[in-house]
Amino acid sequence: MRWKRVLFSGLGIGLIYTLFIHAKTTPDFPVQDKPIRTIVIDAGHGGSDHGAGGRYSHEKDIALDVALKLGKIIEEAMPDVKVVYTRKTDRFDDVHRKAAIANEAKGDLFISIHCNAAPDIKRIVGHRTVTYRDKKKRKRTRKVPIYESSPNPAKGTETYIWATSKNNAKTESLRNNSVIVFDANSEETQQIMDTRDPETIIMLNTLRNVYFDQSLRLSTLVEDEFTRVGRISRGARQRNEKGILVLHATAMPSVLVELGFISNPEEENYLNSANGQDEMASCIYRAVKRYKDELERIYKSGEPRPPVLETPATGAAAPAPTPARQVVNHISSTVSTATEPPNAPAADATESFSYKVQLMTTEKVYARTNTLFKNLKGTIEREEFKQGRKKVNKYIWGSFRTEAEAQAAVYKARKQGFSDAFMLAYKDGNRID
Ligand SMILES: [Zn+2]
C-alpha cells in the first residue's frame, strides 16, 4: 500500500492534477491568486505559409481571424490577463520563433489556432486505353483507370496536446526557460538550478507532468464547449509520431485547436463566416474561463502547486512559501512509487475518471506471461484492430484511479523500454483523449 501512503502524505505536486479534476466540487472563493496572468495566442501559419487550403480560403487567414477574436474576448472579459499574440497580421514566422515569443512573454498558457484538412477522396469512374512502347520499342496498349475526386467528408474539431513521445523536449523547454522558476535569490535555489542535479531533472519532469495534465484538462474543456454548440468533436488528443513543435517547445501548458476541416465545403463556409468565427472564439474563451476558474479555486484552497507558478512574475513579492527543497523531496517520493504496484486504492475514488497506459502497437501477439511485461503488475489488455490489411495489436496496461498514478505508470513503462507509452483517460468508461 505504498501508493496509498504516498498519496495521503507527501504527494505534493502530484496531487495537483487530482485536485484539478476534483476542484469542481470545492466552493467558490473570491479570487486573489492569479495562476494565469499571460495567455499566448498563436494564429497558425502566416505570410508565405498558407497552411491548408480549401476551395476559396486559406487556413492562415481563418486562424488569424479567430485568434484575434479570441484575444479580444479575453482582453475584454478578463482584464487581469495579458494577451500576447505570436502574430496579429499576415506575417510569416517559423514555429521556433513563435515558441520563443511565447517563452519570452513568460506565458502561463499557450493556445495555437489551426484548421484541419483531409485529402480528397478519389474513386475510379472508368478506364481509358493508352498506348506505349515496351523495352523493345514495340507498340502496346494498356488500360488505366480514370479517377474522379470529391471532397473528403471529414469534419469536426480536434484539440491537441503535446505527444508524450516529446516529453523530453518539453522538459528541455522548461529547463531553458526556467529563469522564472528559479529567480529567487537564495543559495539553495541556485544549487537546485544545477541542471546536472538529478533532483532538478525530476522536478522539471514533474512540472512537465503537471503541465501535461493541465493541457489535457483544457483540451477536454475546449472540445466540450464545441460539443455544446453542436459541433462534432473528434476529441482531445496527442499527435504521437511527429509531435507539434509549438506544443513541446513552449514552457507552459499548451494546446492546439483544429477549428474544423477547411477541406469540407460545408465547414469551409462555417470557418469563414463571421458567425462561425464568433462561435469558435467564444467556445475557446469559455473553456479558458472554466480552466482558469478551476485553477484559481485550487490556488485559493492552498494546495501545493507547481514551482513555476509560485514565483511572482516580476520578482517583486516574497518568494514562494513552499521551500524548493521540500518540493523536490515530494517529487522524489512520487517518482519512486512508480516501481510499486499501481492498483492500490487511490486517495479519492469519488470521480468517474480512470486511466490506462497504452504501451505499444505492434503486429506481434504476446501473451500476458511474456517477459516483456514481467515488471508491469496488473492487467494488460490486447486490442486487435486493422491497419489497412494488417492486423495490429494495441497493448494497454492498467487501470489507474488518478492521473498521478497513470503518469507514474507511463514513467515506469518508458523506463521498461516502451518508449512510446502514453496515458489514456476515460470518463465514465469512455475514452476522453
Ligand atoms: Zn495548421
Side-chain angles (χ1 to χ4, degrees), residues 274-293:
N275 283 349
Q277 293 183 351
D278 288 339
E279 186 171 79
M280 291 181 284
S282 303
C283 285
I284 301 171
Y285 166 73
R286 284 194 297 272
V288 169
K289 171 91 171 82
R290 285 165 70 187
Y291 171 86
K292 182 171 175 276
D293 288 351

PDB file of all heavy atoms in Angstrom, residues 274-293:
ATOM      1  N   ALA A 274     -18.631  35.063 -40.298  1.00  0.00           N
ATOM      2  CA  ALA A 274     -18.438  35.861 -39.082  1.00  0.00           C
ATOM      3  C   ALA A 274     -19.079  35.166 -37.887  1.00  0.00           C
ATOM      4  O   ALA A 274     -18.496  35.095 -36.800  1.00  0.00           O
ATOM      5  CB  ALA A 274     -19.038  37.252 -39.274  1.00  0.00           C
ATOM      6  N   ASN A 275     -20.279  34.600 -38.106  1.00  0.00           N
ATOM      7  CA  ASN A 275     -20.954  33.903 -37.012  1.00  0.00           C
ATOM      8  C   ASN A 275     -20.153  32.708 -36.535  1.00  0.00           C
ATOM      9  O   ASN A 275     -20.014  32.461 -35.341  1.00  0.00           O
ATOM     10  CB  ASN A 275     -22.334  33.405 -37.466  1.00  0.00           C
ATOM     11  CG  ASN A 275     -23.332  34.543 -37.508  1.00  0.00           C
ATOM     12  OD1 ASN A 275     -23.055  35.646 -37.012  1.00  0.00           O
ATOM     13  ND2 ASN A 275     -24.485  34.281 -38.125  1.00  0.00           N
ATOM     14  N   GLY A 276     -19.665  31.949 -37.498  1.00  0.00           N
ATOM     15  CA  GLY A 276     -18.867  30.764 -37.163  1.00  0.00           C
ATOM     16  C   GLY A 276     -17.628  31.149 -36.375  1.00  0.00           C
ATOM     17  O   GLY A 276     -17.309  30.539 -35.348  1.00  0.00           O
ATOM     18  N   GLN A 277     -16.953  32.185 -36.833  1.00  0.00           N
ATOM     19  CA  GLN A 277     -15.725  32.601 -36.155  1.00  0.00           C
ATOM     20  C   GLN A 277     -16.012  33.115 -34.749  1.00  0.00           C
ATOM     21  O   GLN A 277     -15.265  32.843 -33.814  1.00  0.00           O
ATOM     22  CB  GLN A 277     -15.003  33.666 -36.985  1.00  0.00           C
ATOM     23  CG  GLN A 277     -14.487  33.088 -38.303  1.00  0.00           C
ATOM     24  CD  GLN A 277     -13.694  34.086 -39.123  1.00  0.00           C
ATOM     25  OE1 GLN A 277     -13.657  35.277 -38.799  1.00  0.00           O
ATOM     26  NE2 GLN A 277     -13.063  33.607 -40.177  1.00  0.00           N
ATOM     27  N   ASP A 278     -17.121  33.854 -34.610  1.00  0.00           N
ATOM     28  CA  ASP A 278     -17.506  34.323 -33.274  1.00  0.00           C
ATOM     29  C   ASP A 278     -17.801  33.142 -32.360  1.00  0.00           C
ATOM     30  O   ASP A 278     -17.418  33.122 -31.193  1.00  0.00           O
ATOM     31  CB  ASP A 278     -18.758  35.222 -33.353  1.00  0.00           C
ATOM     32  CG  ASP A 278     -18.429  36.582 -33.978  1.00  0.00           C
ATOM     33  OD1 ASP A 278     -17.241  36.966 -33.969  1.00  0.00           O
ATOM     34  OD2 ASP A 278     -19.357  37.242 -34.480  1.00  0.00           O
ATOM     35  N   GLU A 279     -18.511  32.162 -32.921  1.00  0.00           N
ATOM     36  CA  GLU A 279     -18.882  30.995 -32.117  1.00  0.00           C
ATOM     37  C   GLU A 279     -17.634  30.220 -31.673  1.00  0.00           C
ATOM     38  O   GLU A 279     -17.503  29.853 -30.509  1.00  0.00           O
ATOM     39  CB  GLU A 279     -19.811  30.086 -32.935  1.00  0.00           C
ATOM     40  CG  GLU A 279     -20.362  28.927 -32.130  1.00  0.00           C
ATOM     41  CD  GLU A 279     -21.443  28.167 -32.909  1.00  0.00           C
ATOM     42  OE1 GLU A 279     -21.089  27.357 -33.786  1.00  0.00           O
ATOM     43  OE2 GLU A 279     -22.626  28.406 -32.633  1.00  0.00           O
ATOM     44  N   MET A 280     -16.698  30.002 -32.604  1.00  0.00           N
ATOM     45  CA  MET A 280     -15.490  29.243 -32.259  1.00  0.00           C
ATOM     46  C   MET A 280     -14.658  29.979 -31.214  1.00  0.00           C
ATOM     47  O   MET A 280     -14.168  29.382 -30.252  1.00  0.00           O
ATOM     48  CB  MET A 280     -14.661  28.981 -33.524  1.00  0.00           C
ATOM     49  CG  MET A 280     -15.341  28.005 -34.479  1.00  0.00           C
ATOM     50  SD  MET A 280     -14.371  27.668 -35.970  1.00  0.00           S
ATOM     51  CE  MET A 280     -14.607  29.148 -36.921  1.00  0.00           C
ATOM     52  N   ALA A 281     -14.511  31.298 -31.402  1.00  0.00           N
ATOM     53  CA  ALA A 281     -13.737  32.088 -30.439  1.00  0.00           C
ATOM     54  C   ALA A 281     -14.411  32.049 -29.067  1.00  0.00           C
ATOM     55  O   ALA A 281     -13.739  31.908 -28.036  1.00  0.00           O
ATOM     56  CB  ALA A 281     -13.598  33.530 -30.926  1.00  0.00           C
ATOM     57  N   SER A 282     -15.748  32.120 -29.049  1.00  0.00           N
ATOM     58  CA  SER A 282     -16.473  32.083 -27.776  1.00  0.00           C
ATOM     59  C   SER A 282     -16.308  30.731 -27.087  1.00  0.00           C
ATOM     60  O   SER A 282     -16.171  30.662 -25.871  1.00  0.00           O
ATOM     61  CB  SER A 282     -17.960  32.349 -27.983  1.00  0.00           C
ATOM     62  OG  SER A 282     -18.135  33.587 -28.610  1.00  0.00           O
ATOM     63  N   CYS A 283     -16.361  29.667 -27.871  1.00  0.00           N
ATOM     64  CA  CYS A 283     -16.185  28.329 -27.295  1.00  0.00           C
ATOM     65  C   CYS A 283     -14.824  28.216 -26.611  1.00  0.00           C
ATOM     66  O   CYS A 283     -14.721  27.736 -25.481  1.00  0.00           O
ATOM     67  CB  CYS A 283     -16.280  27.252 -28.374  1.00  0.00           C
ATOM     68  SG  CYS A 283     -17.947  26.949 -28.943  1.00  0.00           S
ATOM     69  N   ILE A 284     -13.788  28.651 -27.322  1.00  0.00           N
ATOM     70  CA  ILE A 284     -12.443  28.541 -26.734  1.00  0.00           C
ATOM     71  C   ILE A 284     -12.359  29.435 -25.499  1.00  0.00           C
ATOM     72  O   ILE A 284     -11.813  29.044 -24.473  1.00  0.00           O
ATOM     73  CB  ILE A 284     -11.350  28.911 -27.764  1.00  0.00           C
ATOM     74  CG1 ILE A 284     -11.453  27.984 -28.983  1.00  0.00           C
ATOM     75  CG2 ILE A 284      -9.960  28.794 -27.138  1.00  0.00           C
ATOM     76  CD1 ILE A 284     -10.572  28.402 -30.153  1.00  0.00           C
ATOM     77  N   TYR A 285     -12.959  30.617 -25.598  1.00  0.00           N
ATOM     78  CA  TYR A 285     -12.945  31.512 -24.435  1.00  0.00           C
ATOM     79  C   TYR A 285     -13.607  30.854 -23.224  1.00  0.00           C
ATOM     80  O   TYR A 285     -13.071  30.875 -22.121  1.00  0.00           O
ATOM     81  CB  TYR A 285     -13.638  32.848 -24.742  1.00  0.00           C
ATOM     82  CG  TYR A 285     -13.923  33.591 -23.468  1.00  0.00           C
ATOM     83  CD1 TYR A 285     -12.881  34.191 -22.757  1.00  0.00           C
ATOM     84  CD2 TYR A 285     -15.201  33.604 -22.902  1.00  0.00           C
ATOM     85  CE1 TYR A 285     -13.113  34.805 -21.534  1.00  0.00           C
ATOM     86  CE2 TYR A 285     -15.439  34.213 -21.685  1.00  0.00           C
ATOM     87  CZ  TYR A 285     -14.391  34.809 -21.004  1.00  0.00           C
ATOM     88  OH  TYR A 285     -14.616  35.388 -19.780  1.00  0.00           O
ATOM     89  N   ARG A 286     -14.784  30.273 -23.439  1.00  0.00           N
ATOM     90  CA  ARG A 286     -15.495  29.665 -22.304  1.00  0.00           C
ATOM     91  C   ARG A 286     -14.685  28.533 -21.684  1.00  0.00           C
ATOM     92  O   ARG A 286     -14.684  28.346 -20.469  1.00  0.00           O
ATOM     93  CB  ARG A 286     -16.880  29.176 -22.748  1.00  0.00           C
ATOM     94  CG  ARG A 286     -17.885  30.305 -22.909  1.00  0.00           C
ATOM     95  CD  ARG A 286     -19.318  29.777 -23.004  1.00  0.00           C
ATOM     96  NE  ARG A 286     -19.517  28.950 -24.179  1.00  0.00           N
ATOM     97  CZ  ARG A 286     -19.866  29.433 -25.375  1.00  0.00           C
ATOM     98  NH1 ARG A 286     -20.060  30.729 -25.538  1.00  0.00           N
ATOM     99  NH2 ARG A 286     -20.019  28.621 -26.402  1.00  0.00           N
ATOM    100  N   ALA A 287     -13.979  27.782 -22.523  1.00  0.00           N
ATOM    101  CA  ALA A 287     -13.127  26.708 -21.997  1.00  0.00           C
ATOM    102  C   ALA A 287     -11.986  27.298 -21.166  1.00  0.00           C
ATOM    103  O   ALA A 287     -11.680  26.808 -20.073  1.00  0.00           O
ATOM    104  CB  ALA A 287     -12.574  25.876 -23.151  1.00  0.00           C
ATOM    105  N   VAL A 288     -11.392  28.389 -21.672  1.00  0.00           N
ATOM    106  CA  VAL A 288     -10.301  29.041 -20.930  1.00  0.00           C
ATOM    107  C   VAL A 288     -10.821  29.567 -19.591  1.00  0.00           C
ATOM    108  O   VAL A 288     -10.174  29.453 -18.557  1.00  0.00           O
ATOM    109  CB  VAL A 288      -9.687  30.197 -21.760  1.00  0.00           C
ATOM    110  CG1 VAL A 288      -8.743  31.049 -20.920  1.00  0.00           C
ATOM    111  CG2 VAL A 288      -8.947  29.636 -22.977  1.00  0.00           C
ATOM    112  N   LYS A 289     -12.021  30.099 -19.615  1.00  0.00           N
ATOM    113  CA  LYS A 289     -12.629  30.641 -18.390  1.00  0.00           C
ATOM    114  C   LYS A 289     -12.825  29.535 -17.352  1.00  0.00           C
ATOM    115  O   LYS A 289     -12.482  29.690 -16.184  1.00  0.00           O
ATOM    116  CB  LYS A 289     -13.965  31.294 -18.762  1.00  0.00           C
ATOM    117  CG  LYS A 289     -14.835  31.731 -17.594  1.00  0.00           C
ATOM    118  CD  LYS A 289     -14.532  33.172 -17.202  1.00  0.00           C
ATOM    119  CE  LYS A 289     -15.519  33.714 -16.180  1.00  0.00           C
ATOM    120  NZ  LYS A 289     -15.214  33.322 -14.800  1.00  0.00           N
ATOM    121  N   ARG A 290     -13.361  28.406 -17.802  1.00  0.00           N
ATOM    122  CA  ARG A 290     -13.571  27.287 -16.871  1.00  0.00           C
ATOM    123  C   ARG A 290     -12.235  26.793 -16.317  1.00  0.00           C
ATOM    124  O   ARG A 290     -12.097  26.510 -15.132  1.00  0.00           O
ATOM    125  CB  ARG A 290     -14.302  26.140 -17.582  1.00  0.00           C
ATOM    126  CG  ARG A 290     -15.783  26.414 -17.807  1.00  0.00           C
ATOM    127  CD  ARG A 290     -16.387  25.441 -18.817  1.00  0.00           C
ATOM    128  NE  ARG A 290     -16.500  24.077 -18.303  1.00  0.00           N
ATOM    129  CZ  ARG A 290     -16.880  23.039 -19.071  1.00  0.00           C
ATOM    130  NH1 ARG A 290     -17.170  23.210 -20.341  1.00  0.00           N
ATOM    131  NH2 ARG A 290     -16.972  21.830 -18.552  1.00  0.00           N
ATOM    132  N   TYR A 291     -11.263  26.706 -17.207  1.00  0.00           N
ATOM    133  CA  TYR A 291      -9.923  26.263 -16.827  1.00  0.00           C
ATOM    134  C   TYR A 291      -9.308  27.199 -15.791  1.00  0.00           C
ATOM    135  O   TYR A 291      -8.791  26.785 -14.758  1.00  0.00           O
ATOM    136  CB  TYR A 291      -9.069  26.211 -18.096  1.00  0.00           C
ATOM    137  CG  TYR A 291      -7.590  25.981 -17.910  1.00  0.00           C
ATOM    138  CD1 TYR A 291      -7.088  24.682 -17.813  1.00  0.00           C
ATOM    139  CD2 TYR A 291      -6.695  27.042 -17.871  1.00  0.00           C
ATOM    140  CE1 TYR A 291      -5.720  24.468 -17.678  1.00  0.00           C
ATOM    141  CE2 TYR A 291      -5.334  26.838 -17.737  1.00  0.00           C
ATOM    142  CZ  TYR A 291      -4.857  25.542 -17.643  1.00  0.00           C
ATOM    143  OH  TYR A 291      -3.502  25.335 -17.510  1.00  0.00           O
ATOM    144  N   LYS A 292      -9.417  28.479 -16.066  1.00  0.00           N
ATOM    145  CA  LYS A 292      -8.843  29.490 -15.178  1.00  0.00           C
ATOM    146  C   LYS A 292      -9.558  29.468 -13.814  1.00  0.00           C
ATOM    147  O   LYS A 292      -8.915  29.511 -12.774  1.00  0.00           O
ATOM    148  CB  LYS A 292      -8.986  30.868 -15.844  1.00  0.00           C
ATOM    149  CG  LYS A 292      -8.412  32.037 -15.081  1.00  0.00           C
ATOM    150  CD  LYS A 292      -8.446  33.287 -15.972  1.00  0.00           C
ATOM    151  CE  LYS A 292      -8.002  34.547 -15.242  1.00  0.00           C
ATOM    152  NZ  LYS A 292      -9.059  35.197 -14.469  1.00  0.00           N
ATOM    153  N   ASP A 293     -10.880  29.366 -13.849  1.00  0.00           N
ATOM    154  CA  ASP A 293     -11.632  29.317 -12.599  1.00  0.00           C
ATOM    155  C   ASP A 293     -11.223  28.109 -11.757  1.00  0.00           C
ATOM    156  O   ASP A 293     -11.043  28.219 -10.542  1.00  0.00           O
ATOM    157  CB  ASP A 293     -13.146  29.249 -12.886  1.00  0.00           C
ATOM    158  CG  ASP A 293     -13.686  30.584 -13.403  1.00  0.00           C
ATOM    159  OD1 ASP A 293     -12.929  31.575 -13.359  1.00  0.00           O
ATOM    160  OD2 ASP A 293     -14.844  30.623 -13.851  1.00  0.00           O
TER     161      ASP A 293
END
